[in-house]
Amino acid sequence: MRSSPKQPHRFKRLTVIGGLAAALSFGTVSAAAGGVQVQGPPGPDLTAAAPAATSTLLPDYDSEIVGQFDSVNSVNHIRHLAVDIGPRLNGTPQEREGAEYIGGVLKSYGFEVTLQSWGPVSTKRVAKVTSSDADLPGGPNWQMAASTSGKFTGDTGVKGQVVDAKTGQSDAEFPADTAGNIVLMDYSTTAAVRNTAVANAVSHGAIAVILAYPTGNSAPPSFTLTTPQPEIPVIGGGSAHNTWIRDLLAKGPLTLTIATNEYVTPMGTNVIGIRHAVGDPTGTTAPIVMVGAHIDSVLGAPGAHDDASGNGVSLEIARTLSRYPLDKELRIGGFGGEEGGLLGAKAYVNTLTAEEKARFVGEWQMDMVGTPYEPARLWALTPDGQSNYVVQEAYNAAARFGFDGLRNCRLGQSDHQAFFDAGIPSSLFIWLDYRPPASPAVCGPTGGTYVTEPQYHRPTDTMDNISPERLQTTLDVVGGAVAHNALNAVTVSAISDAGQPLVGAPVRADCGNGPRNLGTTGADGRLKAVFPHVKCDFTVTVEGAVATERRVSISGDQAVKVTVDVTKPTISLTRPTDGAVYTLGKDTDASYRCKDNLSGVATCVGTVRDGRRLDTSTVGFHEFTVNAADRAGNTADQKVTYQVVYRWHAYFPETMNGKAGSAVPIKFSLDGYHGTGVFAPGYPASQQVTCDTGKPTGAAEPIRNPGHSGVSYKDGQYNYVWKTDKSWSHTCRRLQLKLDDGSSHFTTIRLK
């Protein structure tokens, strides 16, 4: 992040995570012009749209992609930029090397990569300091300021052991072996003191001089001398360099190589990676989603946090999204010269045509996105302090994954400003101790102040200034927002066959690798989700009814309507009807139909198949059921009862006369012998009735069959002897013969 002279920098001590680079085990990365080589697990299959099919429900694409972000990969990239390359001052070969590394990684992910040169920029005078016999803290490549008062050695440099001459103000402070070695002395803010120190070192035969701040927390100083020393390099180191060198000297001899270079009006470098949309291979029509970070660091700072961290997150977003076919154009930007005034971003934006600018969905700029500095929090900062589409999408991503620590306010000072000025929605995402204005002031008009971590713009901005946990949060929030916008926005509408929205309906999608849980519809019967360029089956379930819209081609933002058949199928049962009566053994066929007007009939099953014979083989009551189901899962059933009876023939009249106490023979046939137990339990029975109307005057009573009364069978007919009672004299009695087939037969007798 570019510093501002208007913002106070207040520093306090901080205990940081020690030895991160040594504690974490990563694959090694080597860079060369034109590409990178990564050792470690093989990369993803770039043709794969998602993980392999699984027996469990897959998550929605938002969750799936965020689940693949891994800050370990980001730390790996940060380490290469900050440690293997080191400080990347604008206009120096190291800035270019950083761009080439980022470009090589993007190429390996399938991006079309362009290195942009722009400028020229101001002349840079730098010293590269390395060691052949010591592990330099924050190294192996230190950067210090090369004074115009000294010699520019070129890349060969000078090599020698380091001696400590303290302030360098007297001969007594110079060791006896100063000649032929590199002299370390305290940097003084007084020009005369500096001039004396360097002149004394030269007189003692020094081959190079390092003036480094002895106290405080200072960056390497640039300075001139009253008396130039054109024969040796003279360089300025930060306070951390002073401490580190003296700590190393306390352990034994230290050899350094110092190479000083003057890069006169050099060119700055941007790297732009583009992954074209599936249907727009030339990049002329598809919406553009862009992620940015700056490559350069300030003089002397390895820039692990500022801003290798932003590039580490950008590259991890690129790696993950490269696994999915997209209908939006994804751009990854690494901008040089941010620290010098947002130079690279401005140069890039100036190359955009009006048509390109109009295609931008937004630009998510990351700068300093992973410090362990405890007061720092994640902020989304805009030049006008107002929330915009990019900010809101970050809030939405944070909400999806349960992070409530994002805040927004006002700040420029990073590359998002260039996009903002061009009318492109943009925001700076940063972990910073930002302090909003006190009420009643608000962020928009006034903005707040901020305090940076002690390592900001210092040689101590090393891997110890990186928090994998905060990088992961940034990936989830910013990467989640970028991924959400790089995918296609799909609105699934679930409606009933009557045209009503279906609320709370579970929605799933299968895009070729298994069912994916999208969630449930809202109060309007809709659900919004995101998808890559795929074909999917969308399934909605409502109270057991299932509807699937198959082979929907997702290519761009669109709507999908799924109509759910919630109406049960209808059943038309014409035979048997409820209460139908059939004689025993009658040849009668079942007849029924099932119908469904939307999804169609899946099954229509009766007690017997349609057109097949009903069961009339036994007498009594029979149930007949038809069960129907449609293809949506709705079910219906219809149940009727029919009766099977004997073929009855009576050989007695409906009314007769008799004498009380006598036996009355009752004869009937059932079309064959069916055993003597043809009566229903409790029958035959008789009851008294009025002789003129036949109305019962008492309860029916089972007949006890006294004497020889009872049922017998002979010559094709049943005989039943009804023994009347003498006490029935001058009454009328009704005899009921109820059979085990459920039928009842009657005769009435007038008794004398």
Short mmCIF file of all heavy atoms in Angstrom, two decimals, residues 377-420:
data_model
loop_
_atom_site.label_atom_id
_atom_site.label_comp_id
_atom_site.label_asym_id
_atom_site.label_seq_id
_atom_site.Cartn_x
_atom_site.Cartn_y
_atom_site.Cartn_z
N ARG A 377 -7.83 -5.41 11.27
CA ARG A 377 -9.06 -6.08 10.91
C ARG A 377 -9.24 -5.99 9.40
O ARG A 377 -8.59 -5.18 8.74
CB ARG A 377 -10.26 -5.46 11.64
CG ARG A 377 -10.23 -5.65 13.15
CD ARG A 377 -10.35 -7.11 13.54
NE ARG A 377 -10.31 -7.32 14.99
CZ ARG A 377 -9.22 -7.62 15.67
NH1 ARG A 377 -8.06 -7.74 15.03
NH2 ARG A 377 -9.25 -7.82 16.96
N LEU A 378 -10.14 -6.80 8.85
CA LEU A 378 -10.35 -6.80 7.41
C LEU A 378 -11.29 -5.68 7.03
O LEU A 378 -12.43 -5.61 7.51
CB LEU A 378 -10.91 -8.15 6.96
CG LEU A 378 -11.12 -8.31 5.45
CD1 LEU A 378 -9.81 -8.09 4.68
CD2 LEU A 378 -11.71 -9.68 5.13
N TRP A 379 -10.81 -4.82 6.12
CA TRP A 379 -11.58 -3.66 5.68
C TRP A 379 -11.75 -3.69 4.17
O TRP A 379 -10.87 -4.16 3.43
CB TRP A 379 -10.88 -2.36 6.08
CG TRP A 379 -10.98 -2.07 7.54
CD1 TRP A 379 -10.16 -2.54 8.53
CD2 TRP A 379 -11.97 -1.27 8.18
NE1 TRP A 379 -10.59 -2.07 9.76
CE2 TRP A 379 -11.68 -1.30 9.57
CE3 TRP A 379 -13.05 -0.54 7.72
CZ2 TRP A 379 -12.47 -0.60 10.50
CZ3 TRP A 379 -13.83 0.16 8.64
CH2 TRP A 379 -13.54 0.12 10.02
N ALA A 380 -12.88 -3.16 3.73
CA ALA A 380 -13.12 -2.87 2.32
C ALA A 380 -13.19 -1.35 2.21
O ALA A 380 -14.14 -0.73 2.72
CB ALA A 380 -14.43 -3.52 1.85
N LEU A 381 -12.20 -0.76 1.56
CA LEU A 381 -12.06 0.70 1.54
C LEU A 381 -12.20 1.21 0.10
O LEU A 381 -11.59 0.67 -0.83
CB LEU A 381 -10.71 1.11 2.12
CG LEU A 381 -10.45 0.63 3.56
CD1 LEU A 381 -9.03 0.95 3.99
CD2 LEU A 381 -11.46 1.22 4.53
N THR A 382 -13.00 2.25 -0.05
CA THR A 382 -13.22 2.85 -1.36
C THR A 382 -12.80 4.31 -1.33
O THR A 382 -12.83 4.95 -0.27
CB THR A 382 -14.70 2.75 -1.76
OG1 THR A 382 -15.50 3.41 -0.77
CG2 THR A 382 -15.14 1.30 -1.89
N PRO A 383 -12.42 4.87 -2.49
CA PRO A 383 -11.96 6.26 -2.50
C PRO A 383 -13.00 7.27 -2.03
O PRO A 383 -12.63 8.33 -1.52
CB PRO A 383 -11.60 6.49 -3.98
CG PRO A 383 -11.20 5.14 -4.48
CD PRO A 383 -12.14 4.20 -3.79
N ASP A 384 -14.28 6.96 -2.19
CA ASP A 384 -15.31 7.89 -1.73
C ASP A 384 -15.97 7.45 -0.43
O ASP A 384 -16.89 8.11 0.06
CB ASP A 384 -16.37 8.10 -2.81
CG ASP A 384 -17.13 6.82 -3.15
OD1 ASP A 384 -16.77 5.75 -2.60
OD2 ASP A 384 -18.07 6.89 -3.96
N GLY A 385 -15.53 6.34 0.12
CA GLY A 385 -16.09 5.87 1.38
C GLY A 385 -17.44 5.22 1.27
O GLY A 385 -18.03 4.81 2.27
N GLN A 386 -17.97 5.11 0.05
CA GLN A 386 -19.29 4.54 -0.14
C GLN A 386 -19.18 3.05 -0.48
O GLN A 386 -18.24 2.62 -1.15
CB GLN A 386 -20.02 5.25 -1.28
CG GLN A 386 -20.23 6.75 -1.05
CD GLN A 386 -21.10 7.02 0.16
OE1 GLN A 386 -22.14 6.39 0.34
NE2 GLN A 386 -20.68 7.96 0.99
N SER A 387 -20.15 2.30 -0.01
CA SER A 387 -20.22 0.91 -0.43
C SER A 387 -20.58 0.88 -1.92
O SER A 387 -21.22 1.78 -2.44
CB SER A 387 -21.27 0.16 0.38
OG SER A 387 -21.34 -1.20 -0.02
N ASN A 388 -20.11 -0.15 -2.60
CA ASN A 388 -20.47 -0.33 -4.00
C ASN A 388 -20.68 -1.81 -4.26
O ASN A 388 -20.70 -2.62 -3.32
CB ASN A 388 -19.40 0.27 -4.92
CG ASN A 388 -18.02 -0.35 -4.71
OD1 ASN A 388 -17.90 -1.48 -4.25
ND2 ASN A 388 -16.98 0.40 -5.04
N TYR A 389 -20.84 -2.17 -5.51
CA TYR A 389 -21.14 -3.56 -5.84
C TYR A 389 -20.05 -4.50 -5.34
O TYR A 389 -20.34 -5.56 -4.76
CB TYR A 389 -21.29 -3.72 -7.35
CG TYR A 389 -21.67 -5.12 -7.76
CD1 TYR A 389 -22.98 -5.57 -7.67
CD2 TYR A 389 -20.70 -6.02 -8.22
CE1 TYR A 389 -23.33 -6.86 -8.03
CE2 TYR A 389 -21.03 -7.31 -8.58
CZ TYR A 389 -22.35 -7.73 -8.49
OH TYR A 389 -22.68 -9.01 -8.83
N VAL A 390 -18.79 -4.13 -5.52
CA VAL A 390 -17.67 -4.98 -5.10
C VAL A 390 -17.68 -5.16 -3.58
O VAL A 390 -17.48 -6.27 -3.07
CB VAL A 390 -16.35 -4.37 -5.58
CG1 VAL A 390 -15.16 -5.04 -4.91
CG2 VAL A 390 -16.23 -4.50 -7.09
N VAL A 391 -17.92 -4.08 -2.86
CA VAL A 391 -17.96 -4.16 -1.40
C VAL A 391 -19.13 -5.04 -0.95
O VAL A 391 -18.98 -5.92 -0.08
CB VAL A 391 -18.09 -2.75 -0.79
CG1 VAL A 391 -18.31 -2.83 0.72
CG2 VAL A 391 -16.85 -1.92 -1.11
N GLN A 392 -20.30 -4.81 -1.53
CA GLN A 392 -21.48 -5.56 -1.11
C GLN A 392 -21.32 -7.04 -1.40
O GLN A 392 -21.75 -7.89 -0.60
CB GLN A 392 -22.73 -5.03 -1.81
CG GLN A 392 -24.02 -5.64 -1.29
CD GLN A 392 -24.19 -5.50 0.21
OE1 GLN A 392 -24.10 -4.40 0.75
NE2 GLN A 392 -24.43 -6.60 0.90
N GLU A 393 -20.70 -7.37 -2.53
CA GLU A 393 -20.49 -8.78 -2.84
C GLU A 393 -19.53 -9.44 -1.84
O GLU A 393 -19.66 -10.62 -1.54
CB GLU A 393 -19.98 -8.93 -4.26
CG GLU A 393 -21.05 -8.74 -5.32
CD GLU A 393 -22.14 -9.79 -5.22
OE1 GLU A 393 -21.89 -10.95 -5.59
OE2 GLU A 393 -23.24 -9.46 -4.73
N ALA A 394 -18.59 -8.67 -1.33
CA ALA A 394 -17.70 -9.21 -0.29
C ALA A 394 -18.49 -9.45 1.00
O ALA A 394 -18.29 -10.47 1.68
CB ALA A 394 -16.54 -8.26 -0.04
N TYR A 395 -19.37 -8.51 1.34
CA TYR A 395 -20.23 -8.72 2.51
C TYR A 395 -21.09 -9.97 2.32
O TYR A 395 -21.27 -10.77 3.26
CB TYR A 395 -21.13 -7.51 2.73
CG TYR A 395 -20.51 -6.42 3.59
CD1 TYR A 395 -20.18 -5.18 3.04
CD2 TYR A 395 -20.29 -6.61 4.94
CE1 TYR A 395 -19.62 -4.17 3.81
CE2 TYR A 395 -19.74 -5.62 5.73
CZ TYR A 395 -19.40 -4.39 5.17
OH TYR A 395 -18.85 -3.40 5.95
N ASN A 396 -21.64 -10.14 1.12
CA ASN A 396 -22.48 -11.31 0.87
C ASN A 396 -21.69 -12.60 1.01
O ASN A 396 -22.18 -13.59 1.58
CB ASN A 396 -23.08 -11.22 -0.54
CG ASN A 396 -24.07 -10.09 -0.69
OD1 ASN A 396 -24.56 -9.53 0.31
ND2 ASN A 396 -24.38 -9.71 -1.91
N ALA A 397 -20.46 -12.60 0.50
CA ALA A 397 -19.62 -13.80 0.63
C ALA A 397 -19.30 -14.07 2.09
O ALA A 397 -19.32 -15.22 2.54
CB ALA A 397 -18.34 -13.62 -0.18
N ALA A 398 -18.99 -13.01 2.84
CA ALA A 398 -18.69 -13.18 4.26
C ALA A 398 -19.89 -13.79 5.00
O ALA A 398 -19.74 -14.67 5.85
CB ALA A 398 -18.30 -11.85 4.88
N ALA A 399 -21.09 -13.31 4.65
CA ALA A 399 -22.30 -13.82 5.30
C ALA A 399 -22.54 -15.29 4.96
O ALA A 399 -22.99 -16.06 5.82
CB ALA A 399 -23.51 -12.98 4.89
N ARG A 400 -22.24 -15.67 3.72
CA ARG A 400 -22.46 -17.07 3.33
C ARG A 400 -21.62 -18.03 4.16
O ARG A 400 -22.03 -19.16 4.40
CB ARG A 400 -22.12 -17.26 1.84
CG ARG A 400 -23.18 -16.76 0.88
CD ARG A 400 -22.94 -17.27 -0.54
NE ARG A 400 -21.74 -16.77 -1.13
CZ ARG A 400 -21.64 -15.63 -1.81
NH1 ARG A 400 -22.71 -14.87 -1.95
NH2 ARG A 400 -20.50 -15.25 -2.34
N PHE A 401 -20.45 -17.55 4.60
CA PHE A 401 -19.54 -18.47 5.29
C PHE A 401 -19.26 -18.06 6.73
O PHE A 401 -18.28 -18.48 7.32
CB PHE A 401 -18.26 -18.60 4.47
CG PHE A 401 -18.54 -19.04 3.06
CD1 PHE A 401 -18.42 -18.18 2.00
CD2 PHE A 401 -18.99 -20.32 2.82
CE1 PHE A 401 -18.72 -18.59 0.71
CE2 PHE A 401 -19.29 -20.75 1.55
CZ PHE A 401 -19.15 -19.87 0.49
N GLY A 402 -20.14 -17.23 7.27
CA GLY A 402 -20.13 -17.00 8.71
C GLY A 402 -19.06 -16.07 9.23
O GLY A 402 -18.72 -16.14 10.42
N PHE A 403 -18.53 -15.17 8.39
CA PHE A 403 -17.55 -14.19 8.87
C PHE A 403 -18.24 -12.84 9.00
O PHE A 403 -18.78 -12.30 8.04
CB PHE A 403 -16.38 -14.09 7.90
CG PHE A 403 -15.34 -13.06 8.30
CD1 PHE A 403 -14.51 -13.28 9.39
CD2 PHE A 403 -15.22 -11.86 7.60
CE1 PHE A 403 -13.56 -12.33 9.76
CE2 PHE A 403 -14.28 -10.92 7.96
CZ PHE A 403 -13.44 -11.15 9.05
N ASP A 404 -18.22 -12.28 10.21
CA ASP A 404 -18.91 -11.01 10.43
C ASP A 404 -17.94 -9.87 10.76
O ASP A 404 -18.34 -8.83 11.28
CB ASP A 404 -19.96 -11.14 11.55
CG ASP A 404 -19.34 -11.52 12.90
OD1 ASP A 404 -18.09 -11.69 12.97
OD2 ASP A 404 -20.09 -11.64 13.87
N GLY A 405 -16.66 -10.07 10.43
CA GLY A 405 -15.65 -9.08 10.79
C GLY A 405 -15.32 -8.07 9.72
O GLY A 405 -14.46 -7.21 9.93
N LEU A 406 -15.97 -8.14 8.56
CA LEU A 406 -15.67 -7.19 7.49
C LEU A 406 -16.32 -5.84 7.77
O LEU A 406 -17.47 -5.78 8.22
CB LEU A 406 -16.17 -7.74 6.16
CG LEU A 406 -15.94 -6.87 4.92
CD1 LEU A 406 -14.45 -6.73 4.64
CD2 LEU A 406 -16.66 -7.44 3.70
N ARG A 407 -15.57 -4.76 7.50
CA ARG A 407 -16.10 -3.40 7.64
C ARG A 407 -15.68 -2.60 6.41
O ARG A 407 -14.74 -2.96 5.72
CB ARG A 407 -15.56 -2.74 8.91
CG ARG A 407 -15.92 -3.45 10.22
CD ARG A 407 -17.41 -3.36 10.51
NE ARG A 407 -17.73 -4.00 11.78
CZ ARG A 407 -18.09 -5.27 11.91
NH1 ARG A 407 -18.15 -6.06 10.83
NH2 ARG A 407 -18.37 -5.78 13.10
N ASN A 408 -16.38 -1.50 6.15
CA ASN A 408 -16.00 -0.67 5.01
C ASN A 408 -15.95 0.80 5.40
O ASN A 408 -16.66 1.25 6.30
CB ASN A 408 -16.95 -0.88 3.83
CG ASN A 408 -18.34 -0.35 4.09
OD1 ASN A 408 -19.10 -0.96 4.85
ND2 ASN A 408 -18.70 0.75 3.46
N CYS A 409 -15.06 1.56 4.72
CA CYS A 409 -14.94 2.99 4.96
C CYS A 409 -14.18 3.60 3.78
O CYS A 409 -14.22 3.05 2.67
CB CYS A 409 -14.25 3.27 6.30
SG CYS A 409 -14.54 4.96 6.93
N ARG A 410 -13.49 4.70 4.02
CA ARG A 410 -12.90 5.48 2.93
C ARG A 410 -11.38 5.45 2.96
O ARG A 410 -10.76 5.69 3.99
CB ARG A 410 -13.38 6.92 3.03
CG ARG A 410 -12.78 7.84 1.98
CD ARG A 410 -13.30 9.24 2.14
NE ARG A 410 -12.74 10.14 1.15
CZ ARG A 410 -13.05 11.43 1.04
NH1 ARG A 410 -13.93 11.97 1.86
NH2 ARG A 410 -12.49 12.17 0.11
N LEU A 411 -10.78 5.16 1.79
CA LEU A 411 -9.34 5.27 1.61
C LEU A 411 -9.01 5.00 0.15
O LEU A 411 -9.57 4.10 -0.48
CB LEU A 411 -8.58 4.27 2.48
CG LEU A 411 -7.06 4.49 2.58
CD1 LEU A 411 -6.73 5.78 3.32
CD2 LEU A 411 -6.38 3.30 3.25
N GLY A 412 -8.10 5.80 -0.40
CA GLY A 412 -7.53 5.54 -1.71
C GLY A 412 -6.20 4.85 -1.50
O GLY A 412 -6.13 3.80 -0.90
N GLN A 413 -5.11 5.43 -2.02
CA GLN A 413 -3.75 5.01 -1.72
C GLN A 413 -3.38 3.61 -2.18
O GLN A 413 -2.37 3.06 -1.77
CB GLN A 413 -3.46 5.12 -0.21
CG GLN A 413 -3.53 6.53 0.33
CD GLN A 413 -3.26 6.61 1.81
OE1 GLN A 413 -3.89 7.37 2.53
NE2 GLN A 413 -2.30 5.82 2.26
N SER A 414 -4.21 2.98 -3.00
CA SER A 414 -3.82 1.71 -3.61
C SER A 414 -4.45 1.64 -5.00
O SER A 414 -5.16 2.55 -5.43
CB SER A 414 -4.24 0.53 -2.74
OG SER A 414 -3.56 -0.65 -3.16
N ASP A 415 -4.18 0.56 -5.69
CA ASP A 415 -4.49 0.51 -7.11
C ASP A 415 -5.98 0.51 -7.43
O ASP A 415 -6.36 0.71 -8.59
CB ASP A 415 -3.84 -0.74 -7.73
CG ASP A 415 -2.32 -0.60 -7.77
OD1 ASP A 415 -1.83 0.52 -7.95
OD2 ASP A 415 -1.62 -1.63 -7.63
N HIS A 416 -6.83 0.27 -6.44
CA HIS A 416 -8.27 0.37 -6.71
C HIS A 416 -8.66 1.77 -7.15
O HIS A 416 -9.67 1.96 -7.82
CB HIS A 416 -9.06 -0.04 -5.48
CG HIS A 416 -8.88 0.86 -4.29
ND1 HIS A 416 -7.65 1.12 -3.73
CD2 HIS A 416 -9.78 1.57 -3.56
CE1 HIS A 416 -7.80 1.95 -2.71
NE2 HIS A 416 -9.08 2.24 -2.59
N GLN A 417 -7.85 2.77 -6.75
CA GLN A 417 -8.15 4.16 -7.10
C GLN A 417 -8.20 4.33 -8.62
O GLN A 417 -9.08 5.03 -9.15
CB GLN A 417 -7.10 5.09 -6.51
CG GLN A 417 -7.29 6.56 -6.83
CD GLN A 417 -8.35 7.22 -5.97
OE1 GLN A 417 -8.26 7.19 -4.75
NE2 GLN A 417 -9.35 7.79 -6.61
N ALA A 418 -7.26 3.71 -9.34
CA ALA A 418 -7.23 3.87 -10.79
C ALA A 418 -8.50 3.33 -11.44
O ALA A 418 -9.03 3.93 -12.39
CB ALA A 418 -6.00 3.15 -11.36
N PHE A 419 -9.02 2.21 -10.94
CA PHE A 419 -10.25 1.64 -11.48
C PHE A 419 -11.45 2.50 -11.10
O PHE A 419 -12.36 2.71 -11.91
CB PHE A 419 -10.42 0.20 -10.99
CG PHE A 419 -9.39 -0.74 -11.55
CD1 PHE A 419 -8.17 -0.92 -10.90
CD2 PHE A 419 -9.62 -1.44 -12.71
CE1 PHE A 419 -7.22 -1.78 -11.42
CE2 PHE A 419 -8.68 -2.31 -13.24
CZ PHE A 419 -7.47 -2.48 -12.59
N PHE A 420 -11.45 2.95 -9.86
CA PHE A 420 -12.52 3.83 -9.40
C PHE A 420 -12.60 5.08 -10.28
O PHE A 420 -13.70 5.50 -10.69
CB PHE A 420 -12.26 4.22 -7.94
CG PHE A 420 -13.23 5.22 -7.38
CD1 PHE A 420 -14.43 4.82 -6.83
CD2 PHE A 420 -12.92 6.57 -7.39
CE1 PHE A 420 -15.32 5.75 -6.31
CE2 PHE A 420 -13.81 7.51 -6.87
CZ PHE A 420 -15.00 7.10 -6.33
#
